[in-house]
Amino acid sequence: MNNKVTRNLYLFPYALWIVLFVVAPLLLVLYYSFFDIEGHFSLVNYKTFFTPVYLKMTLSSFWYAFLITVISLIIAYPTAYLLTKTIHKQLWLLLIIVPSWINLLLKAYAFLGIFGTKGIANSFLEAVGIGAKQILFTDFSFVFVSVYIFIPFMILPIFNALNELNPTLLDAANDLGASKWITFRRVIFPLTIDGVKAGCQVVFIPALSLFMLTRLIAGNRVITLGTAIEQQFLVTQDWGMGSTIAVFLILIMFLIISLTGNRKRGV
C-alpha cells in the first residue's frame, strides 16, 4: 500500500503537467473553434473548412509533407546504414545531429544568403556555365531546406534500429545463399521498419504544419495549414477559424500516429 501511495505521489507532477500543458490547451483550442470572428457561438468555421479553398490547402500540405518525408527517407536510410559500418559511428552521428541544435530561424536566414541572387549556389552555376537562376522563393528551395532541417530526425531512429540489428541474422541469410538485395528486402528492412515509422512520424507531422519556411524560403508560394493558422491568429485575428484549422490538424496528426504506430502482435 505504501509503495502504491509513493508511486502516485511521484506520478502527480507529471499528471498535473499533462493536464495543464497538453489537455487544457487542446480543450481551449476546441472551445474557440466554435466561435466566429465576432465572438458568437457558431459552426460556421467547420462549414468554411470544408470549402474548396481549405480542402485544397489541406491537400497541398499533405503533398509537401509527403514529398519532404519521402526524400528524407531516401537519403537517410542509406546514410544511417553507412554510419553503422564506420569505425567512429557515434562521432559521425553526432556531427549529423549537431546542426539540428541551431535555431531554425538562423538556418533559414543562412539559406536566404546561399540561394540568393548573388549567393553561393548561383555563383557555382555561373562558374560551370549554366548561369544564375531564380532558386529562392521556389518550391525547390522550400523542399530542399525542409529536407535539410528534418533529415537528422529521420536518420537518428533508423540508425538506432540498424545499430540494434542482430548480425547473426545477416550471417544466416548469407549462409543460405541470399543476395545482398534479398537480405535487405527480407531481413534488414523488415527488422528496422519501426525505426522507419518513427522517422516518418517525426518528419511528416512537423512538415505538415510548417509556416516559417513558407514565408522566408518559399516567399508565400507554398501555403500550408500551419501558414493558414498563423494568418488567422496574427493577421485576420479570427481565432475561431484558426482554432478550427488547428483542431483538424491535431486530428490528422493523431490519425498519422495511429496508422504508423507500433502494434504488438499476439504470439
Side-chain angles (χ1 to χ4, degrees), residues 4-105:
K4 186 177 181 180
V5 173
T6 304
R7 185 181 63 181
N8 290 336
L9 287 175
Y10 282 125
L11 289 176
F12 178 75
Y14 299 102
L16 183 63
W17 179 276
I18 291 174
V19 169
L20 291 178
F21 299 106
V22 178
V23 178
L26 291 178
L27 292 177
L28 193 62
V29 168
L30 180 63
Y31 171 77
Y32 275 111
S33 68
F34 291 105
F35 291 88
D36 60 20
I37 193 171
E38 297 177 353
H40 300 141
F41 183 84
S42 174
L43 296 176
V44 66
N45 296 324
Y46 287 89
K47 182 180 179 181
T48 303
F49 183 84
F50 287 100
T51 57
V53 174
Y54 285 98
L55 291 178
K56 183 180 179 181
M57 191 183 303
T58 303
L59 291 175
S60 176
S61 299
F62 265 95
W63 166 246
Y64 283 107
F66 173 77
L67 199 61
I68 292 167
T69 303
V70 170
I71 295 174
S72 298
L73 178 60
I74 292 172
I75 298 172
Y77 202 102
T79 302
Y81 183 79
L82 291 175
L83 283 177
T84 59
K85 302 300 180 183
T86 58
I87 299 175
H88 305 291
K89 53 186 175 183
Q90 298 297 340
L91 175 61
W92 288 108
L93 181 65
L94 179 64
L95 293 176
I96 291 174
I97 294 174
V98 162
S100 66
W101 299 349
I102 302 173
N103 184 272
L104 176 63
L105 188 61

Side-chain angles (χ1 to χ4, degrees), residues 204-215:
F204 188 90
I205 293 175
L208 197 62
S209 57
L210 279 173
F211 67 92
M212 185 185 300
L213 296 182
T214 58
R215 293 190 179 280

Side-chain angles (χ1 to χ4, degrees), residues 26 71 86 95 101 117 126 160 167 191 214 219 240-241 243 251 255:
L26 291 178
I71 295 174
T86 58
L95 293 176
W101 299 349
T117 307
E126 290 179 350
N160 290 333
L191 292 176
T214 58
M241 192 63 219
S243 298
L251 291 176
L255 178 62

Side-chain angles (χ1 to χ4, degrees), residues 54-259:
Y54 285 98
L55 291 178
K56 183 180 179 181
M57 191 183 303
T58 303
L59 291 175
S60 176
S61 299
F62 265 95
W63 166 246
Y64 283 107
F66 173 77
L67 199 61
I68 292 167
T69 303
V70 170
I71 295 174
S72 298
L73 178 60
I74 292 172
I75 298 172
Y77 202 102
T79 302
Y81 183 79
L82 291 175
L83 283 177
T84 59
K85 302 300 180 183
T86 58
I87 299 175
H88 305 291
K89 53 186 175 183
Q90 298 297 340
L91 175 61
W92 288 108
L93 181 65
L94 179 64
L95 293 176
I96 291 174
I97 294 174
V98 162
S100 66
W101 299 349
I102 302 173
N103 184 272
L104 176 63
L105 188 61
L106 292 177
K107 288 188 283 189
Y109 275 111
F111 275 101
L112 287 176
I114 294 172
F115 287 155
T117 307
K118 299 185 181 298
I120 298 174
N122 271 317
S123 297
F124 173 77
L125 293 177
E126 290 179 350
V128 297
I130 297 176
K133 301 290 183 180
Q134 178 61 42
I135 304 175
L136 200 61
F137 307 138
T138 61
D139 292 358
F140 167 79
S141 61
F142 170 71
V143 174
F144 184 94
V145 175
S146 299
V147 169
Y148 167 78
I149 289 171
F150 287 125
I151 203 165
F153 304 104
M154 179 70 79
I155 290 176
L156 184 57
I158 296 176
F159 172 85
N160 290 333
L162 287 167
N163 198 42
E164 295 174 358
L165 191 64
N166 190 343
T168 58
L169 297 175
L170 306 183
D171 295 334
N174 186 48
D175 292 340
L176 292 172
S179 64
K180 291 184 177 180
W181 167 245
I182 295 296
T183 301
F184 171 78
R185 186 168 63 88
R186 300 292 296 272
V187 180
I188 298 176
F189 188 77
L191 292 176
T192 57
I193 192 65
D194 288 343
V196 173
K197 288 180 178 180
C200 290
Q201 282 183 4
V202 297
V203 172
F204 188 90
I205 293 175
L208 197 62
S209 57
L210 279 173
F211 67 92
M212 185 185 300
L213 296 182
T214 58
R215 293 190 179 280
L216 295 178
I217 304 298
N220 282 336
R221 285 175 54 89
V222 177
I223 304 297
T224 64
L225 292 176
T227 308
I229 292 172
E230 181 201 24
Q231 290 176 342
Q232 295 294 343
F233 275 98
L234 301 181
V235 180
T236 63
Q237 297 291 310
D238 189 353
W239 288 23
M241 192 63 219
S243 298
T244 303
I245 301 171
V247 167
F248 281 101
L249 187 58
I250 293 168
L251 291 176
I252 292 169
M253 290 178 179
F254 277 117
L255 178 62
I256 293 168
I257 292 173
S258 64
L259 291 175

